[in-house]
Amino acid sequence: MRIATAVIGLLALAALAGCKSPTYGGGGGGGGGGGGGGGGPAGEIVVGNILFKSSHNGTQNPAIDTVAVGSTVTWTWTATGSVPHSVQSLGTPSFASSAIETGDGKTYSVTFTTPGTYQYDCAVHGAAMSGRIVVR
């Protein structure tokens, strides 16, 4: 339900901004990047073994997503087995980090209310699992 509300909010924001669509996807970096195309909605990130992967554009390690101010981003533990992971904010600006979680189906969500580029990684795996959220 929260995802549907976020999508409706993004569409309304786009209409108010002169009928321009918000930009999703990301720039390059770390062997990934590129915007456009992809399977799932922006703001959903898979926590896997051992990766963060954008459901919107498929970027991973770093998973890169661009969202509108006020958007909620959700990380979902998928096919992680018994390996622990977390979402750990790095640098400034920052957001509240998650606890270290084990097991599929765990989720962690953050609503981004301030523009900026937010870096994160896994407290267990460090730079091997990383991502970036660009909030505009």
Side-chain angles (χ1 to χ4, degrees):
M1 190 69 182
R2 284 192 231 171
I3 299 298
T5 303
V7 169
I8 291 169
L10 287 173
L11 292 173
L13 183 61
L16 290 173
C19 297
K20 291 183 180 177
S21 296
T23 303
Y24 299 107
E44 289 190 7
I45 299 165
V46 171
V47 179
N49 266 344
I50 292 177
L51 62 85
F52 286 118
K53 182 175 183 178
S54 167
S55 294
H56 173 71
N57 60 33
T59 56
Q60 68 183 43
N61 293 337
I64 304 169
D65 278 293
T66 300
V67 300
V69 170
S71 295
T72 299
V73 174
T74 301
W75 289 263
T76 302
W77 280 239
T78 305
T80 59
S82 62
V83 178
H85 300 291
S86 73
V87 178
Q88 172 179 260
S89 182
L90 303 171
T92 304
S94 64
F95 57 91
S97 299
S98 76
I100 295 174
E101 299 279 1
T102 303
D104 296 344
K106 305 286 189 200
T107 62
Y108 182 68
S109 296
V110 174
T111 300
F112 291 90
T113 58
T114 304
T117 300
Y118 296 80
Q119 305 283 343
Y120 63 92
D121 71 6
C122 173
V124 177
H125 299 98
M129 286 180 71
S130 65
R132 177 178 11 189
I133 305 294
V134 179
V135 181
R136 296 186 179 162

